[in-house]
Amino acid sequence: MAISTMSDNSRYRGLILSIAAFLALIGALLAFTFYTSSVLERNTALVNVSNKAANDAQSVIKDLFDLQGSLGEHINSPHQIEVRERLAANTQSIEQLLSGMNTGSAYVNSEGLNTDIPELTNANEKAALAGAQQEWSKLKPLIENYLDGADNILVDSSNELALAYEQAKTSSLLMNDSLDELTEEVYEASESQANLIRLIQILGVIAIFAYFLIFVFFFVRRLRETDAEVSAARRETQEIMQTVNTGLFLLDKDLNIGQQHSKALNNIIGTDKLAGENFASVLRGRISDKDLNTTRQFVEQLYNPRVKEKLVDDLNPLHKVLLNNASGEQGSDNRFLDFKFSRVYEDKDIARILVNVSDVSDAVYLEQRLEKERSQNDMQIEMLTTILNVNPKIINEFISNTKSHIDKMNNILKNPGSSQYELEAKLNSIYREMHSLKGEASALKLHSFTKIATDAEDKLSALQNQGKLSGNDFLQLAVHLDDLLSLSNTIETLGERINQSVPAAAKETKATESVVADIESLTANRDQTLDASTHHVDVTSNKNGIDADETDNYLLSYYQDFAQEIATRQGKKVQLNSDSFTQTQIPESLKNTVKEIGIQLLRNAVVHGIEKPDIRQSTGKPAIGNINLDMQSNAQNLTITLQDDGQGIDYERIRDKLIDKGRFSSEEVGQFSHSELLKQLFSSGFSTKEYADEDGGRGVGLDIIEAQVKEHDGKIDVDSEFGKMTRFVITLPKA
């Protein structure tokens, strides 16, 4: 947005020209005044020179008369010397003055100061000067003849003195007449010039005053016209500002709001006084400090001409921002506002930033509702897909285990705990239950469950790291438990709806058609729920044809899919092998425990054991990592063995992590044996992984295994060879 200045320049061109003419008139008058002043100064100088010459001529006569009257006095007497010196000086002065007026040369007075003598230009003045010079030319030689021998006692200068004296009587009078005539001519010229100056000055002042009156008249008229235009423009602007539904205002470089803004802005921002206020002060406490600082930087970049406006607009921190009420508290009057910033240019310079504010609360709430419905429908599709692709027995076990985990966590939360030891034990127990639940959900690709569990784990991890615990710290977990319970109820309801009975002859065909129609319905119309009366499927069959009454062979397929899912997320390749797992019957009392231990062992092997393909190949290993899962059973025990051909346990890394976490000093860790280091590896919250993600790094998996084994009075054996393999052997008593 740019503002053109061409029209403004055209409007002021007449004013500029009028002022220039006015100044030119004053300048001409001043120039004439300066010129006439110099002429008057010249005439004054001529009068002074003429008077000086006349006075010197009178002085010459007096000196000659004095010398004539003092004949007989010794020529070297002080009186004689003084008079002769004065006579000589006056003679020289008269010569310089008359010659200077004729040629305009400089005159050096008796004090040695230079004086410029103006040259005569008027004919009458020159004629008067010529008369004086003529008489002086008669007198001057006689005076010089006298002075040549007057100071010599051997020379009689009385005759020369007498001749000079007699000539002076005549010439001095004539010289005085000529010089008086010259002075009169100069006076007349000066008077004439003075009259001319006065006349021109009077006319000039009259002209200037008249011009000023005319200028003021037209200027005031133009000013009135301009005021009327401005007033009309202001009224139009006010009418626009009064009627627009969005908030409009200008913002300067210091984030100060302009004096003019739309009326709607007050209602949108929720503040009465905005004109002249600082934008940052208006927003302070109503948006986050981070957004406020980002806004300052954003406006600063908008004023940077080297930054493209379209590029910086993508960084707008006030796009659909939540603006709290004036008190800064959450409330019903909070709203979502969308601020749009545009540059305002003057020529090529960025003058202001135009801000357009809209209340987009309704649109944002609609988006949120649609997004929530979309998420719910996506979740239902995800759950429906899981139900159709996973053995029904596993689904039922997951629902049962989820509710069991939630019940356990609820019971743990109900136990208040008093000491730090009890609170830490409470925290670790909840962490194990949540991690177990997340493991089963992740294995089934139920990302809705996984996300809620991961968020809960983030809070649990923060509690582990905060040090001192209190009972109130656990209150925030209740929301996650409610969400998980709601999801488990949803998947249970979907399973029940799909599991409704149909005639045996058409069971499989109708089930398939019903499920396809159900998915299409959820995808096409996300605000519709499943209709129990139109969806039928027999969950005793699935895509793999596994019967629920068979042995527990379905677990192997479940583990293989789980291992591949984790490997894909971790950027690895694995192959899960098992020769004896499918041939072993798991006691009913250990099924959930075996399943849980298998999930955690597999996760640990893929995340921590198996290397990425490029690393494996660099050490001479095949790109695909091998994991062997075996299970043996005898009359007393059930033994689970998991071995991977990965990098093995790095005991030195365990030492470094223990020191970094501040659990032990370097001296203490240096004394630990491998068995003691393994014990730390099984402790809650300890992991050698740098960063936690969905699959690992929280230090809970091995803690869960140890808790499960302890619960059944079993034992754990770990064997590892660095760079080659790790083997876990879990022994669980059947009784």
Side-chain angles (χ1 to χ4, degrees), residues 324-468:
N324 298 318
N325 56 39
S327 62
E329 299 176 355
Q330 296 287 339
S332 59
D333 57 343
N334 294 339
R335 63 196 74 182
F336 286 92
L337 302 184
D338 188 21
F339 291 79
K340 294 181 180 179
F341 299 82
S342 303
R343 288 169 172 169
V344 179
Y345 290 89
E346 287 184 1
D347 293 333
K348 295 182 179 180
D349 297 327
I350 303 172
R352 293 286 189 278
I353 301 298
L354 176 65
V355 186
N356 188 334
V357 192
S358 301
D359 189 340
V360 293
S361 300
D362 293 339
V364 171
Y365 291 140
L366 179 61
E367 289 176 4
Q368 291 176 348
R369 189 173 74 251
L370 292 176
E371 182 61 29
K372 184 177 180 180
E373 293 176 355
R374 187 182 298 113
S375 299
Q376 290 175 345
N377 291 329
D378 288 343
M379 177 192 66
Q380 291 185 4
I381 293 174
E382 175 191 276
M383 291 180 177
L384 194 59
T385 303
T386 299
I387 292 172
L388 296 175
N389 288 278
V390 177
N391 189 287
K393 191 172 184 179
I394 294 179
I395 295 295
N396 293 332
E397 288 177 356
F398 172 75
I399 295 172
S400 177
N401 291 340
T402 297
K403 292 184 176 180
S404 176
H405 288 308
I406 293 174
D407 287 340
K408 288 181 181 179
M409 285 187 279
N410 268 325
N411 292 331
I412 295 171
L413 287 173
K414 290 177 183 178
N415 182 17
S418 56
S419 66
Q420 282 297 306
Y421 175 79
E422 292 175 343
L423 291 174
E424 289 176 3
K426 178 179 177 178
L427 176 62
N428 294 336
S429 298
I430 295 175
Y431 213 154
R432 284 193 294 268
E433 296 296 332
M434 188 66 71
H435 198 73
S436 296
L437 189 154
K438 187 185 81 169
E440 289 194 61
S442 179
L444 293 175
K445 301 179 183 178
L446 293 173
H447 301 296
S448 301
F449 280 89
T450 306
K451 183 180 184 307
I452 295 174
T454 300
D455 292 342
E457 284 188 331
D458 289 338
K459 291 183 172 61
L460 291 168
S461 179
L463 291 177
Q464 277 188 332
N465 296 326
Q466 81 176 20
K468 190 175 181 180

Side-chain angles (χ1 to χ4, degrees), residues 13-30:
R13 184 179 294 122
L15 176 63
I16 294 172
L17 293 176
S18 299
I19 294 175
F22 182 73
L23 294 176
L25 181 60
I26 294 176
L29 183 60
L30 291 175

